């Protein structure tokens, strides 16, 4: 190491760059040139600080930066070594390789981006901006609801304008429905693994969630019926297409069985179909099997972009739609008329459909990568979705695995975040979308696979990363 540290001293003397950042870059350069190899041991913090004439804190920050980039590993009692396998990804603005938020991929399509810019510019040039900046009735204009009906009709053929509301995101609709259908202390049935936002909403409102056991076809209808008989739930919430987190889709037969139970016990259904637009083919919506009971929810955050906070809800009846509008007005006042106008334009001129196709195509390409690196690990995914469910092999707990990958700037979510029955499986959810490029996605998946192939001792790793306290 003396030769290398001599080289490092020269570089440190000839630059104005912060020493801790340069130290990480020097380690990276020496790995690329072969001066440093896999499992080479680096000096201790005190040794290197003395050798480079730097203070201890600066060297510690330099090692921390190198660890963040996936260049080195540190283990208590054994020292610091050059890491094997793929280097970690650097976050772009805190989110470049972020895989914890389930966001659609951002298609690298200049034509599509130009279309979005051009149509938005034309829209705002023609719109009555004063009108858009005023308070409006909740649920969108007649034109907004007409566009919503067109968007929903392939999934809910009998959707009508008088039963549709345009809302500021699916999450806000769920909050209103939970508060409207169940009082504090009352029950709503959910999948045993479900969207974490539902858990947060229920906790905020004091609503109890009753977990329904699942099999490969979805929530088990017999467990739902038993709950209806004994617990009298106020609603059934489900995410039947590309379930967040497992990417599973409830089969047609199971949807019919669940709808039958709901009809016999008059239990309202909240059908959160946030991912329903992604697959080219999927079973009939619950809203078509139990139309008099089902609130059908769809939005653009999973098929267009999370920043387009526009969602549609088709209620079972006109009266229930008006009641829901009242409940939502009390908490959200209205959906943004500006957002509504833009969404409506993109639905009407076909831009939304083109964006959906682009997101779907990019998702397909990324799922091919996921299958290449993790397909032999039991990965569960849909070829047209952008998240996946990864069972873990013995040796990693989901929390330890997610925490370790976080130190490598790759985010996955441990199963406990989704569990409603207190017994989460040993698995994590991976999101393949967000702002990272396909190349970054490839690197992140390779890093996940490498971590599974060459596991480190998780407890030591977590202590070094600051998670052991």
């Amino acid at each position: 190491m003396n030769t290398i540290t001599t080289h490092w001293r020269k570089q440190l003397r000839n630059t104005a760059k912060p020493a801790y950042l340069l130290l990480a870059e020097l380690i990276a350069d020496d790995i690329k040139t072969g001066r440093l190899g896999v499992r080479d041991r680096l000096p201790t913090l005190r040794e290197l600080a003395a050798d480079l004439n730097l203070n201890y804190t600066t060297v510690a920050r330099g090692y921390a930066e190198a660890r963040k980039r996936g260049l080195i590993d540190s283990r208590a009692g054994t020292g610091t070594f050059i890491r094997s396998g793929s280097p970690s990804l650097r976050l772009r603005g805190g989110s470049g390789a972020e895989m914890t938020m389930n966001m659609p991929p951002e298609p690298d399509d200049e034509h599509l981006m130009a279309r979005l810019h051009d149509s938005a510019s034309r829209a705002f040039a023609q719109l009555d901006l004063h009108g858009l900046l005023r308070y409006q009735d909740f649920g969108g204009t007649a034109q907004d609801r007409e566009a919503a009906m067109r968007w929903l009709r392939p999934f809910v053929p009998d959707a009508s304008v008088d039963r549709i509301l345009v809302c500021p995101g699916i999450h806000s609709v769920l909050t209103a429905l939970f508060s409207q259908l169940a009082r504090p202390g009352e029950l709503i049935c959910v999948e045993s693994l479900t969207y974490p936002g539902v858990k947060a909403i229920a906790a905020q409102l004091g609503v109890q969630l009753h977990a329904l056991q699942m099999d490969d076809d979805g929530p088990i209808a017999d467990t739902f019926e038993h709950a209806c008989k004994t617990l009298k739930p106020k609603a059934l919430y489900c995410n039947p297409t590309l379930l967040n987190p497992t990417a599973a889709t409830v089969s047609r037969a199971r949807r019919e069985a669940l709808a039958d139970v709901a009809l016999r016990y008059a239990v309202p259904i909240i059908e959160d179909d946030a991912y329903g637009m992604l697959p080219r083919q999927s079973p009939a919506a619950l809203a078509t099997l139990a139309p008099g009971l089902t609130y059908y929810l769809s939005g653009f955050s999973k098929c267009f972009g999370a920043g387009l906070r526009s969602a549609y809800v088709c209620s079972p009846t006109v009266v229930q739609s008006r009641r829901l509008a009242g409940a939502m007005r009390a908490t959200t006042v209205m959906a943004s008329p500006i957002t509504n106008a833009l969404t409506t334009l993109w639905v009407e001129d076909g831009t939304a459909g083109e964006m959906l196709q682009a997101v779907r195509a990019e998702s397909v390409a990324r799922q091919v990568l996921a299958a290449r690196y993790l397909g032999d690990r039991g990965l569960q995914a849909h070829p047209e979705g952008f998240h996946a469910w990864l069972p873990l092999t013995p040796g990693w707990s989901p929390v330890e695995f997610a925490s370790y990958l976080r130190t490598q700037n790759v985010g996955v979510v441990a199963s406990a975040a989704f569990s409603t029955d207190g017994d989460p499986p040993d698995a994590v959810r991976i999101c393949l979308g967000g702002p990272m490029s396909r190349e970054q996605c490839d690197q992140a998946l390779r890093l996940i696979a490498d971590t599974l192939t060459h596991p480190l001792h998780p407890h030591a790793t977590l202590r070094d990363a600051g998670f052991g306290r």
Side-chain angles (χ1 to χ4, degrees):
M1 289 300 299
N2 288 338
T3 303
I4 290 177
T5 54
T6 299
H7 165 68
W8 289 357
R9 275 199 302 272
K10 292 179 180 178
Q11 293 294 319
L12 286 163
R13 282 199 300 266
N14 297 324
T15 182
K17 182 176 290 190
Y20 80 96
L21 288 177
L22 182 59
L23 181 56
E25 291 175 7
L26 290 170
I27 293 172
D29 288 342
D30 285 345
I31 291 172
K32 289 178 183 177
T33 59
R35 291 194 188 98
L36 290 173
V38 173
R39 300 302 179 192
D40 280 353
R41 186 179 183 278
L42 295 178
T44 67
L45 295 174
R46 296 191 185 282
E47 289 170 346
L48 191 58
D51 205 14
L52 298 180
N53 196 27
L54 296 173
N55 64 51
Y56 179 91
T57 301
T58 298
V59 174
R61 290 182 68 192
Y63 272 12
E65 180 67 20
R67 189 181 301 112
K68 186 170 73 173
R69 300 185 191 190
L71 303 172
I72 62 175
D73 286 320
S74 299
R75 302 189 188 188
T78 59
T80 300
F81 298 84
I82 300 300
R83 186 179 188 276
S84 64
S86 309
S88 71
L89 308 179
R90 296 207 66 186
L91 297 184
R92 285 199 324 241
S95 62
E98 184 60 80
M99 301 169 84
T100 57
M101 293 300 290
N102 213 25
M103 299 179 286
E106 298 174 358
D108 185 14
D109 184 333
E110 292 182 4
H111 164 75
L112 181 56
M113 291 300 103
R115 178 170 176 171
L116 290 172
H117 281 290
D118 291 345
S119 60
S121 297
R122 282 187 284 104
F124 286 111
Q126 298 168 6
L127 290 170
D128 174 12
L129 290 180
H130 280 304
L132 293 179
L133 294 173
R134 299 179 189 130
Y135 286 112
Q136 298 184 9
D137 290 338
F138 190 89
T141 65
Q143 185 181 4
D144 295 333
R145 286 182 281 116
E146 285 281 352
M149 183 178 68
R150 287 175 50 190
W151 189 252
L152 296 181
R153 277 281 174 89
F155 303 90
V156 187
D158 69 342
S160 58
V161 168
D162 55 0
R163 292 189 291 118
I164 290 173
L165 299 173
V166 181
C167 308
I170 287 179
H171 194 90
S172 66
V173 183
L174 294 175
T175 302
L177 284 173
F178 271 48
S179 66
Q180 188 177 40
L181 297 175
R183 296 177 180 176
E186 294 181 330
L187 294 176
I188 289 180
C189 288
V190 298
E191 298 105 332
S192 56
L193 292 167
T194 195
Y195 166 49
V198 163
K199 297 171 62 177
I201 290 168
Q204 182 71 23
L205 298 176
V207 172
Q208 301 298 308
L209 298 181
H210 177 71
L212 299 180
Q213 294 178 344
M214 298 189 295
D215 60 19
D216 291 342
D217 286 326
I220 298 172
D222 286 346
T223 65
F224 178 38
E225 180 159 17
H226 180 72
C228 291
K229 287 179 179 177
T230 59
L231 301 174
K232 302 191 184 312
K234 296 302 179 181
L236 166 66
Y237 166 85
C238 62
N239 173 200
T241 305
L242 275 61
L243 172 65
N244 180 12
T246 68
T249 292
V250 179
S251 68
R252 166 73 188 228
R254 184 59 54 81
R255 293 180 190 221
E256 291 175 346
L258 292 168
D260 177 67
V261 173
L263 288 166
R264 285 191 283 112
Y265 291 90
V267 176
I269 299 172
I270 303 170
E271 183 174 11
D272 180 355
D273 212 22
Y275 303 89
M277 300 287 168
L278 292 172
R280 288 181 176 87
Q281 294 184 329
S282 57
L286 286 161
T288 66
L289 302 174
L293 287 175
T294 305
Y295 294 86
Y296 181 85
L297 284 61
S298 181
F300 291 88
S301 65
K302 306 304 182 186
C303 66
F304 199 110
L308 192 61
R309 305 306 300 166
S310 189
Y312 302 145
V313 54
C314 184
S315 298
T317 68
V318 174
V319 171
Q320 287 165 317
S321 183
R322 290 173 181 165
R323 288 176 180 166
L324 178 58
M328 294 202 66
R329 189 182 296 110
T331 55
T332 63
V333 182
M334 63 181 179
S336 166
I338 295 174
T339 301
N340 290 353
L342 196 54
T343 304
T344 295
L345 169 69
W346 282 338
V347 170
E348 290 178 339
D349 72 2
T351 302
E354 186 176 343
M355 185 68 162
L356 170 59
Q357 292 178 27
V359 166
R360 184 187 290 136
E362 185 61 30
S363 297
V364 168
R366 297 185 184 206
Q367 289 291 358
V368 170
L369 297 176
R372 178 189 305 166
Y373 292 114
L374 300 169
D376 61 351
R377 300 276 184 179
L379 189 75
Q380 301 172 33
H382 188 284
E384 294 170 326
F386 52 79
H387 66 279
W389 187 241
L390 179 65
L392 296 180
T393 53
W396 285 108
S397 78
V399 172
E400 288 170 339
F401 188 73
S403 297
Y404 172 72
L405 287 176
R406 186 64 183 168
T407 70
Q408 307 304 304
N409 291 335
V410 173
V412 300
V413 183
S415 54
F418 310 95
S419 176
T420 57
D421 65 359
D423 187 25
D426 290 334
V428 295
R429 189 201 68 191
I430 305 170
C431 177
L432 308 177
M436 65 179 176
S437 67
R438 194 184 301 180
E439 290 72 25
Q440 289 174 312
C441 183
D442 181 281
Q443 293 175 47
L445 288 164
R446 208 158 5 108
L447 193 147
I448 293 171
D450 180 67
T451 301
L452 291 170
T453 302
H454 304 290
L456 300 169
H457 190 281
H459 299 292
T461 303
L462 293 177
R463 280 198 300 273
D464 295 331
F467 292 96
R469 296 181 181 178

